[in-house]
Amino acid sequence: MSRKTVSRLVLTVSVVVGVANAVSIGTKLAAYDVPLSLLVDCTLACLASTVWLVAGLTTAFASTTYRCTEPGCDFTVRVRHGDAAENRRWQETVAEHPTHPYRA
């Protein structure tokens, strides 16, 4: 599978899970006679939260993070879908970036 296909599949799954979550919450709230405007707001918020969470987790698991190893340095690079040459280039960049604390 290509990366684009996987991204689309993950997005589709996250929307389906979000809709299922929103319908579940909406059904539970409807049993308490919650006004329609509030019901729509709550279900849309649940949908958006679920899709955001799944997309964030997917991004976290699909990317490689490189951090500077110098104490006190918080330089970080996150690479998604990089090939071996690009990953190596970012490793070298992180190892010798221009904002090391000892250079200041």
Side-chain angles (χ1 to χ4, degrees), residues 12-96:
T12 304
V13 168
S14 69
V15 169
V16 169
V17 169
V19 167
N21 185 26
V23 168
S24 172
I25 296 296
T27 305
K28 291 175 184 175
L29 288 175
Y32 292 101
D33 294 327
V34 173
L36 182 61
S37 61
L38 186 58
L39 187 66
V40 169
D41 290 341
C42 289
T43 54
L44 288 177
C46 288
L47 172 65
S49 298
T50 305
V51 171
W52 176 81
L53 178 66
V54 171
L57 289 174
T58 303
T59 301
F61 287 120
S63 62
T64 304
T65 303
Y66 300 109
R67 292 181 179 88
C68 181
T69 57
E70 292 293 322
C73 186
D74 59 354
F75 186 81
T76 304
V77 174
R78 187 172 295 223
V79 180
R80 287 187 67 194
H81 308 303
D83 58 356
E86 185 176 1
N87 283 335
R88 182 66 186 154
R89 183 174 59 88
W90 281 111
Q91 284 176 343
E92 292 169 359
T93 301
V94 168
E96 195 57 40

